[in-house]
Amino acid sequence: MIFENNLAYARQLDQQDPLRELRNEFLFPQQKGKPFIYLCGNSLGLQPKTARQHIDEQLGNWHNLAVEGWFEGEKPWMFYHKALKELMAPLVGANPKEVCPMNTLTVNLHLLMVSFYRPSGKRFKIIMESGAFPSDQYAMESQVRFHGYDPKEAIIEVAPRAGEHTLRTADILTAIADQGDEIALVLFGGVNYFTGQWFDMPAITKAGHAAGAIVGFDLAHAAGNVPLQLHDWDVDFACWCSYKYQNSGPGGISGIFVHEKHFQDKTINRFAGWWGYQEQERFKMAKGFVPEAGADGWQVSCTQVIPMSLYYASLRIFEKAGFIEPLREKSEKLTAYLFYVIDQVNRSLGEEQYQIITPATAADRGAQVSIIAKHKPKEIFNALMANNILGDWREPNVIRLSPVPLYNNFEDVFITGEQLMKISKELV
């Protein structure tokens, strides 16, 4: 697109946006009586207006039905997760039986690694991205130690080349091929939390399988952000949090994916719990764990009804949007416009005050745009906050801005560029 850097043009784009009314489905934080331009959905999504309604519905069931709420009412708690599965599956490109809402992200990562990190002989290594979110690093280190290996030997991190901020797909695939039959697991983020790079997940999966390894993904920054086809890409497993792009509230429930090809594999170990036992036989209280079919068989503890109700509120908005494809189309335009207005700021300042470290190619990024501020980065971030623009700060000098297509618009992006210009001229 050929963009223009003015308010009238941004408002024109908003008028042409078929998803513009979805913005009204959310509550925006306020400062000095004015709503923030909220560009931090990569960290915590906004609250759906219907969230309170869905919580109140479940509190009403608790009040009126008490323990009978597990089997009575419009949405009995015993089966409540099934309504979410139908809405989660389209967001990650899965069959409903392959997904399940449960626990929190790193808990699920550990549970899935119990099943899918199975080192044996010389095949004991894990390949991951350098600079992954610390939880992933800690989880892998502890799993490796649990199996008796030294993380320095067992974990191979693929890093960007000198002077670059993002990974080249060719380097990832080469690292997988070079390690060959020593790899037990390839475990990457779908989208890197720091740079916003969306990795080539189909290529990584294919390369991992060619090396004889299991392939999994942490989709914390990908699910609800970019289109995924986990089943068709033949990904073995994945997990994600739902409180970022999927707006399920702070600490919201996580989700897992397990490819159906693993459902009948009797050699897979898992940490079992009563809630993962066969649903139809669960209340017989028999000894000997028999898993429920599909991803539900990885459940350990009972349904978390209140967190699920928040997730359900947001998933219904995704359903109204037509799930991920229409949102992705808008997201690509929003981020492209943000790239454009930042470039306009640099041109006006006569220097590259703001260096974008997120890939320029739309296919290699999601909604997040990460920028390095050359001069006074923290002061600039604080000034944006003072002017009702809420992004995200990462040490030592990165500002993350994420225009989320569910509730951000082109006017938000234009005003952000305008404020960056104004603040830079005042501070630099």
Side-chain angles (χ1 to χ4, degrees):
M1 295 180 66
I2 300 175
F3 292 119
E4 297 178 19
N5 191 26
N6 61 73
L7 182 58
Y9 174 75
R11 287 176 172 171
Q12 178 185 337
L13 291 179
D14 287 329
Q15 283 300 312
Q16 296 168 353
D17 173 20
L19 301 177
R20 63 185 179 276
E21 297 301 326
L22 293 177
R23 181 181 176 94
N24 298 323
E25 301 276 352
F26 294 89
L27 297 169
F28 286 77
Q30 306 277 320
Q31 178 175 258
K32 300 176 184 177
K34 293 175 56 180
F36 273 98
I37 290 175
Y38 191 75
L39 298 173
C40 203
N42 60 301
S43 187
L44 178 66
L46 290 182
Q47 181 183 145
K49 290 180 178 178
T50 57
R52 192 178 300 273
Q53 167 195 328
H54 286 282
I55 288 180
D56 286 346
E57 179 183 343
Q58 298 309 326
L59 291 177
N61 288 338
W62 184 15
H63 173 192
N64 295 311
L65 300 172
V67 71
E68 292 303 311
W70 287 106
F71 295 99
E72 302 295 334
E74 185 178 343
K75 298 186 184 75
W77 300 330
M78 184 78 177
F79 315 108
Y80 190 36
H81 69 292
K82 294 184 179 182
L84 277 74
K85 287 159 63 72
E86 295 291 333
L87 298 172
M88 293 164 62
L91 288 181
V92 295
N95 299 324
K97 282 194 172 184
E98 294 176 313
V99 298
C100 185
M102 63 188 210
N103 307 314
T104 50
L105 175 56
T106 308
V107 171
N108 284 338
L109 186 60
H110 276 296
L111 291 174
L112 290 168
M113 288 183 74
V114 165
S115 295
F116 294 107
Y117 175 53
R118 295 182 284 179
S120 177
K122 68 176 183 179
R123 191 181 287 279
F124 65 94
K125 294 181 179 178
I126 300 175
I127 287 193
M128 65 179 294
E129 80 217 64
S130 174
F133 194 79
S135 276
D136 287 8
Q137 298 178 43
Y138 305 154
M140 286 184 237
E141 288 171 5
S142 60
Q143 288 275 343
V144 161
R145 288 194 180 98
F146 178 79
H147 286 281
Y149 299 100
D150 182 347
K152 293 179 181 178
E153 296 179 0
I155 298 176
I156 310 299
E157 295 189 7
V158 187
R161 296 184 185 185
E164 298 181 1
H165 296 281
T166 55
L167 280 167
R168 299 190 187 191
T169 300
D171 291 348
I172 299 172
L173 304 186
T174 297
I176 293 172
D178 286 349
Q179 297 298 321
D181 58 4
E182 294 185 351
I183 305 170
L185 176 64
V186 177
L187 183 51
F188 262 68
V191 172
N192 181 266
Y193 86 99
F194 192 76
T195 65
Q197 180 182 7
W198 180 17
F199 297 113
D200 189 338
M201 296 169 60
I204 292 170
T205 303
K206 185 177 180 180
H209 288 163
I214 291 287
V215 181
F217 290 94
D218 176 347
L219 302 177
H221 289 265
N225 177 16
V226 294
L228 303 168
Q229 295 296 329
L230 299 183
H231 178 88
D232 290 348
W233 293 343
D234 202 29
V235 172
D236 293 293
F237 72 91
C239 51
W240 56 92
C241 56
S242 60
Y243 53 79
K244 299 180 187 296
Y245 294 99
Q246 297 184 72
N247 319 297
S248 70
I253 199 160
S254 174
I256 69 164
F257 164 87
V258 178
H259 198 285
E260 67 178 4
K261 67 184 179 182
H262 296 294
F263 291 171
Q264 302 304 318
D265 187 348
K266 305 299 184 183
T267 68
I268 289 179
N269 291 316
R270 68 182 94 196
F271 284 166
W274 185 59
W275 213 258
Y277 195 88
Q278 272 188 337
E279 182 181 291
Q280 296 301 318
E281 305 293 325
R282 191 174 296 160
F283 281 87
K284 291 183 178 179
M285 309 297 191
K287 286 185 177 293
F289 180 75
V290 181
E292 172 64 2
D296 289 7
W298 270 265
Q299 294 178 104
V300 175
S301 300
C302 71
T303 292
Q304 299 159 262
V305 176
I306 299 301
M308 282 190 188
S309 70
L310 289 170
Y311 195 12
Y312 183 72
S314 180
L315 288 170
R316 291 299 302 271
I317 301 174
F318 277 97
E319 182 182 37
K320 184 182 292 188
F323 293 106
I324 200 68
E325 293 299 337
L327 292 167
R328 174 60 176 171
E329 183 178 350
K330 178 180 176 180
S331 180
E332 288 184 1
K333 293 176 183 176
L334 280 171
T335 53
Y337 193 45
L338 182 54
F339 268 66
Y340 167 78
V341 297
I342 291 172
D343 179 65
Q344 293 297 299
V345 171
N346 285 334
R347 288 173 182 268
S348 179
L349 294 173
E351 66 169 334
E352 191 180 32
Q353 157 67 355
Y354 299 105
Q355 179 190 2
I356 298 175
I357 61 172
T358 301
T361 305
D364 296 328
R365 66 172 189 257
Q368 177 182 318
V369 177
S370 298
I371 59 176
I372 293 176
K374 185 177 179 181
H375 306 293
K376 299 185 177 179
K378 192 60 182 290
E379 291 88 342
I380 289 169
F381 176 78
N382 291 338
L384 285 172
M385 285 274 291
N387 285 277
N388 278 54
I389 297 173
L390 182 52
D392 188 50
W393 172 257
R394 282 291 177 268
E395 295 289 350
N397 56 359
V398 170
I399 299 171
R400 302 189 303 175
L401 304 172
S402 296
V404 174
L406 278 172
Y407 48 75
N408 286 119
N409 60 22
F410 292 92
E411 184 172 340
D412 289 342
V413 174
F414 169 76
I415 293 173
T416 299
E418 193 175 49
Q419 286 298 321
L420 282 172
M421 174 81 74
K422 177 175 177 288
I423 292 165
S424 297
K425 289 183 175 178
E426 290 174 352
L427 292 178
V428 178

